[in-house]
Amino acid sequence: MEHVIAVWTWLKAHFADILALWATIIGAAEIVVKWTDSKRDNEILEKIRAIGVKIISLLTKFGFEEPKAK
């Protein structure tokens, strides 16, 4: 159980970094996909992006969201 709590704490502490890395990877993939003419790679990228959005939205429901500035 200690490991689960440690992972949870690490994820919460580095959530902004994880989002930045995810955006960088998706951005680079978008550039590569735009260079190719294949429809299949567009579909694969859309599926990966959709899964990432679902995971990020799920994590924000559990308090991983950055506090909003007032």
Side-chain angles (χ1 to χ4, degrees), residues 37-54:
D37 293 331
S38 173
K39 299 272 188 211
R40 186 161 188 259
D41 58 358
N42 293 348
E43 294 169 3
I44 292 170
L45 182 61
E46 288 297 323
K47 289 179 184 178
I48 292 171
R49 186 185 306 130
I51 291 169
V53 168
K54 286 180 185 178

Side-chain angles (χ1 to χ4, degrees), residues 8-49:
W8 192 265
T9 305
W10 186 87
L11 281 173
K12 286 190 95 157
H14 295 92
F15 190 63
D17 298 330
I18 294 168
L19 288 180
L21 179 63
W22 177 254
T24 302
I25 291 170
I26 291 296
E30 289 271 345
I31 292 170
V32 171
V33 166
K34 296 290 181 187
W35 286 342
T36 63
D37 293 331
S38 173
K39 299 272 188 211
R40 186 161 188 259
D41 58 358
N42 293 348
E43 294 169 3
I44 292 170
L45 182 61
E46 288 297 323
K47 289 179 184 178
I48 292 171
R49 186 185 306 130

